[in-house]
Amino acid sequence: EAGVTQFPSHSVIEKGQTVTLRCDPISGHDNLYWYRRVMGKEIKFLLHFVKESKQDESGMPNNRFLAERTGGTYSTLKVQPAELEDSGVYFCASSQVGGGGASGEQFFGPGTRLTVL
Amino acid sequence: SQQGEEDPQALSIQEGENATMNCSYKTSINNLQWYRQNSGRGLVHLILIRSNEREKHSGRLRVTLDTSKKSSSLLITASRAADTASYFCATVVNTIQGAQKLVFGQGTRLTINP
């Protein structure tokens, strides 16, 4: 079974440009999460989809970030316009049950390393 | 403030030695999880320990949980070069919206020297 995939693996853009990150969760997983790790700091939650609906987007830093999950399948995270402080690694995760379920396990993708110059 | 905090932030040991990493958290939990991130790769789930468990083993991994102290430790025995990675503890936090999210500590960077 394929795991969570993310594209691209690495993106280098200039300040003010737009970047779109993509995440394909494990097939059948209704829950999809975005996290990011900035400047070697802790990994922080951004938002949580259940199917196509945003269950919790309290971690989104500001309105320059827009996440979508069309049809409840793959998700995109767009940053427009990108700022220097957006540099970091963006992780996507999926789970079959909610993150606090019996197993509690979320399956993570390899991440997208974003560098804003 | 973060739910989980880990120490040490960096640990360097010789291959074959044991490595111990600690994690503290602030709120009540249902379970606590440990993840590993190898350089350039995603997070891999290592082990989950429930709040009513005190110790759990998985291969060379041993996790303890002390809910009275709100702390956990991860012990890797007989370390190998391939264990070089960053290790994170994470707790599940229920959100106001009724969802759950993982809250991670800052991580421990473990380096195994040959």
Side-chain angles (χ1 to χ4, degrees):
Chain A
E1 178 183 324
V4 177
T5 58
Q6 293 186 244
F7 181 83
S9 58
H10 194 177
S11 179
V12 181
I13 61 173
E14 292 191 352
K15 176 182 173 180
Q17 290 186 321
T18 297
V19 63
T20 300
L21 314 180
R22 172 169 171 147
C23 168
D24 286 79
I26 292 172
S27 178
H29 282 192
D30 289 340
N31 295 273
L32 186 149
Y33 311 81
W34 283 98
Y35 296 84
R36 74 171 181 176
R37 189 182 187 198
V38 174
M39 297 288 289
K41 295 184 178 178
E42 66 273 15
I43 301 166
K44 284 192 172 181
F45 167 85
L46 296 178
L47 87 160
H48 171 202
F49 283 99
V50 176
K51 297 184 180 179
E52 68 274 10
S53 299
K54 292 177 185 175
Q55 188 76 5
D56 179 1
E57 54 182 332
S58 61
M60 295 288 265
N62 51 60
N63 59 10
R64 295 186 294 103
F65 289 75
L66 175 65
E68 295 180 325
R69 190 180 182 194
T70 306
T73 55
Y74 70 91
S75 174
T76 59
L77 179 64
K78 179 162 62 175
V79 185
Q80 179 182 29
E83 298 290 343
L84 299 179
E85 62 266 25
D86 300 332
S87 295
V89 181
Y90 290 75
F91 293 102
C92 175
S94 72
S95 67
Q96 199 161 24
V97 296
S103 71
E105 181 176 358
Q106 296 180 16
F107 296 85
F108 281 79
T112 293
R113 181 172 295 277
L114 175 64
T115 303
V116 183
L117 303 176
Chain B
S1 61
Q2 291 304 303
Q3 176 77 342
E5 297 181 359
E6 289 153 84
D7 81 277
Q9 292 189 354
L11 179 62
S12 181
I13 61 174
Q14 294 299 121
E15 192 168 17
E17 293 180 339
N18 296 340
T20 299
M21 291 159 274
N22 303 298
C23 167
S24 62
Y25 57 93
K26 292 181 171 62
T27 64
S28 61
I29 60 171
N30 292 323
N31 62 63
L32 185 142
Q33 304 172 43
W34 284 89
Y35 286 80
R36 180 186 70 215
Q37 184 195 7
N38 292 88
S39 179
R41 302 181 68 178
L43 289 162
V44 174
H45 184 265
L46 295 176
I47 195 166
L48 179 152
I49 185 166
R50 303 185 196 286
S51 60
N52 60 353
E53 297 176 310
R54 292 296 168 260
E55 187 172 311
K56 196 164 184 179
H57 296 255
S58 176
R60 293 183 297 112
L61 305 180
R62 172 178 167 251
V63 170
T64 63
L65 179 65
D66 187 336
T67 53
S68 66
K69 296 181 180 178
K70 289 188 168 56
S71 67
S72 174
S73 67
L74 172 67
L75 167 68
I76 303 175
T77 60
S79 63
R80 304 168 182 169
D83 295 330
T84 294
S86 291
Y87 291 81
F88 299 89
C89 68
T91 57
V92 176
V93 174
N94 294 321
T95 67
I96 295 174
Q97 294 84 355
Q100 292 91 21
K101 62 182 180 183
L102 287 175
V103 178
F104 289 85
Q106 290 198 340
T108 294
R109 176 66 191 170
L110 175 65
T111 302
I112 307 300
N113 302 304

